[in-house]
Amino acid sequence: MKINQNIINTLIKVAEANDEYSCAKLASAIVIRNKIISIGINRKKTDPLQAKYGKNDQAIYLHAELHAIKNALREISVEELKKCILYVVRVKRPDQNSKKYVFGMAKPCCGCHKAIVEFGIKSIVYTTDESVEYISV
């Protein structure tokens, strides 16, 4: 599978603009045929979907992956969601004095991974500290 760099670039901009989190700036997109269906960010907001799939009882704030899935379900059916790819990008500053962001690890946590599997999403593209990775679920 070819990773769409335009989608990565879009998510970098969305993640950088996420003012709800200063250190964990994540953005996620549900993509079908190289078209973004929905975008999600990690938020300091509780949500029933996060409560269901949180990795533990303290993981109450909405993760970017679940936010993107929730937003996608307003536009497409669960069956269509199974044909989509999930992109997840994290940006961070390499040090406190840096003005520029770099990639950070955005591999979905175990709770988000469980939701991804249950919703039938078959592929995930995510950033690491060094690169962009692709996995089949």
Side-chain angles (χ1 to χ4, degrees), residues 68-83:
I69 289 169
K70 182 177 178 171
N71 290 338
L73 291 172
R74 293 182 181 133
E75 305 296 323
I76 62 174
S77 69
V78 173
E79 284 306 309
E80 289 174 299
L81 188 60
K82 293 177 182 178
K83 300 172 189 169

Side-chain angles (χ1 to χ4, degrees), residues 28-32 35-38 68-69 72 81 84-86 121:
S28 185
I30 299 293
V31 176
I32 191 165
K35 180 181 177 226
I36 295 175
I37 302 301
S38 71
I69 289 169
L81 188 60
C84 294
I85 298 170
L86 176 69
I121 298 169

Side-chain angles (χ1 to χ4, degrees), residues 42-106:
N42 56 322
R43 303 193 60 204
K44 284 195 173 179
K45 178 181 178 193
T46 60
D47 188 272
L49 195 61
Q50 185 64 44
K52 179 177 180 181
Y53 291 107
K55 62 185 175 183
N56 58 50
D57 290 344
Q58 287 75 43
I60 60 171
Y61 296 126
L62 193 57
H63 290 194
E65 302 93 326
L66 293 179
H67 191 211
I69 289 169
K70 182 177 178 171
N71 290 338
L73 291 172
R74 293 182 181 133
E75 305 296 323
I76 62 174
S77 69
V78 173
E79 284 306 309
E80 289 174 299
L81 188 60
K82 293 177 182 178
K83 300 172 189 169
C84 294
I85 298 170
L86 176 69
Y87 278 72
V88 190
V89 169
R90 178 181 178 191
V91 296
K92 63 182 183 177
R93 296 189 195 278
D95 59 63
Q96 287 181 334
N97 298 325
S98 180
K99 301 253 187 256
K100 186 173 180 174
Y101 287 101
V102 297
F103 282 151
M105 176 56 79

